[in-house]
Amino acid sequence: RINLNELEGIDIISLIQNTLNQKKYVTLFLDEYYMDKTALAGKKHHLAEFFIYGYDDEKRIFYTVGFNSSEFFGQLTYSYNAVIKAHDSFVNDREKFGELPVWVIWYAFSKIKKKENIKENSDIKTILCELEEYASSTEMKQKLRSEIIEGRGNIAVYGADCQNEIIKSLYEMLNNDKFYTDYRHVHLLYEHKKIVLEKMRYIENVTKADVSEIIDRYKSVMKKTELAKVFFLKAIMSDNETDLYDQLKNKPIISKIIKFLEDVSNNEPAILLDFISKVKECCN
């Protein structure tokens, strides 16, 4: 990575081209105001991270993937001139963006190389250990990224306790109209449950442990999280004055989502610990 201060005076086009020629991808922060296919083009100076995977020197364009002006994700191209203007606006006139988050400063330009010969970590003991750490909300400060510690400190919530923080935020939205959480958090909870269920099924297949009843109980946990996600998504999208990341204002729906997530929070850790105990009993 190259931090913001190190980008001053650099020929950004050559830097991107040289990085791509090394078979590395590029991410960099640019001012959306000058990026013509974005939602804020010509409207507002706003920093966003862009992913570049190729270029055409004759056409003087970069190939990217990202969100267009209609917020649809796909392949896009941007001219060299647009990138130069957007880069110079960020590097040379950064004051207009206010106080920058530490990750914007540290990762102003990143070079990303694809890993070769990746081996899947399918060790049963490792998976069980990770599930137990999650179910027990084990503190793991060593896993906090350095920019997170720099920007927000090292006081954090871990594992299953994280969903209690989301529930607290939903109560704030319900009772005090304070807006701390949005659809993404609930969606990620559901994605997490799907991954955990896959791990449980994998362990069952490998160890032949008699855990089908426990897995069925966990399916119920996943289903409730899915319902919370669907109710949230339907309610936020039915409000014509909001987008996906805005505040959910339908209080009966918020109450329903809270109930689903409280059931999940109350039951999930015990189910996982039962599963871990049963598998260990089978394998010993």
Side-chain angles (χ1 to χ4, degrees), residues 1 4 15 92 112 118 121 126 156 169 180 225 230 233 237 269:
R1 58 185 168 90
L4 178 56
L15 178 59
N92 301 326
I112 304 171
I118 300 173
N121 186 356
T126 299
S169 294
Y180 299 124
T225 315
V230 170
L233 180 62
M237 295 304 290

Side-chain angles (χ1 to χ4, degrees), residues 12-238:
I12 192 63
I13 302 301
S14 295
L15 178 59
I16 295 171
Q17 289 176 333
N18 291 336
T19 303
L20 295 171
N21 290 341
Q22 296 168 16
K23 296 186 177 180
K24 296 176 183 177
Y25 301 111
V26 169
T27 63
L28 75 167
F29 284 91
L30 298 169
D31 184 353
E32 281 193 70
Y33 184 90
Y34 297 101
M35 305 299 280
D36 59 296
K37 298 178 179 68
T38 65
L40 296 178
K43 299 176 183 176
K44 181 180 180 182
H45 292 285
H46 179 266
L47 289 176
E49 194 169 21
F50 289 79
F51 179 91
I52 300 177
Y53 67 87
Y55 69 93
D56 186 322
D57 220 15
E58 289 187 6
K59 296 180 180 179
R60 293 181 58 79
I61 58 172
F62 288 113
Y63 295 104
T64 76
V65 289
F67 291 94
N68 62 20
S69 57
S70 300
E71 299 293 345
F72 286 107
F73 188 83
Q75 294 177 308
L76 299 166
T77 60
Y78 289 103
S79 70
Y80 287 4
N81 287 339
V83 171
I84 290 170
K85 289 179 181 178
H87 168 76
D88 287 349
S89 176
F90 170 38
V91 175
N92 301 326
D93 194 15
R94 68 188 75 171
E95 290 77 14
K96 64 171 168 279
F97 301 106
E99 185 175 356
L100 298 174
V102 65
W103 52 86
V104 172
I105 298 171
W106 286 8
Y107 300 96
F109 188 102
S110 296
K111 304 177 180 183
I112 304 171
K113 185 176 181 180
K114 186 179 74 171
K115 287 184 178 180
E116 303 291 345
N117 303 318
I118 300 173
K119 293 183 179 179
E120 292 185 20
N121 186 356
S122 55
D123 177 66
I124 298 298
K125 288 184 179 179
T126 299
I127 299 173
L128 287 175
C129 180
E130 290 177 348
L131 289 177
E132 190 166 12
E133 288 172 343
Y134 168 76
S136 304
S137 298
T138 304
E139 183 179 285
M140 291 179 285
K141 289 185 179 180
Q142 72 278 10
K143 291 193 174 184
L144 293 175
R145 300 197 307 272
S146 55
E147 71 271 17
I148 295 297
I149 295 174
E150 178 73 18
R152 299 178 179 175
N154 62 1
I155 305 300
V157 178
Y158 302 87
D161 284 350
C162 291
Q163 50 206 17
N164 291 328
E165 297 301 311
I166 296 174
I167 292 168
K168 288 179 186 177
S169 294
L170 289 167
Y171 269 117
E172 289 285 353
M173 203 149 57
L174 180 65
N175 299 324
N176 303 311
D177 209 32
K178 293 180 180 178
F179 179 33
Y180 299 124
T181 194
D182 60 37
Y183 170 74
R184 289 169 291 186
H185 300 99
V186 178
H187 177 84
L188 286 172
L189 282 183
Y190 169 66
E191 291 294 326
H192 173 262
K193 308 312 171 202
K194 285 202 304 180
I195 292 170
V196 169
L197 184 60
E198 288 178 12
K199 290 180 178 182
M200 294 171 78
R201 285 170 170 160
Y202 172 79
I203 292 172
E204 180 188 31
N205 290 334
V206 172
T207 64
K208 307 303 179 186
D210 183 14
V211 289
S212 58
E213 183 271 334
I214 301 175
I215 289 176
D216 284 341
R217 286 160 57 198
Y218 195 81
K219 285 180 186 176
S220 176
V221 165
M222 188 189 75
K223 185 63 179 177
K224 287 176 181 176
T225 315
E226 182 180 21
L227 288 170
K229 181 196 79 160
V230 170
F231 274 104
F232 201 127
L233 180 62
K234 184 177 179 180
I236 196 70
M237 295 304 290
S238 65

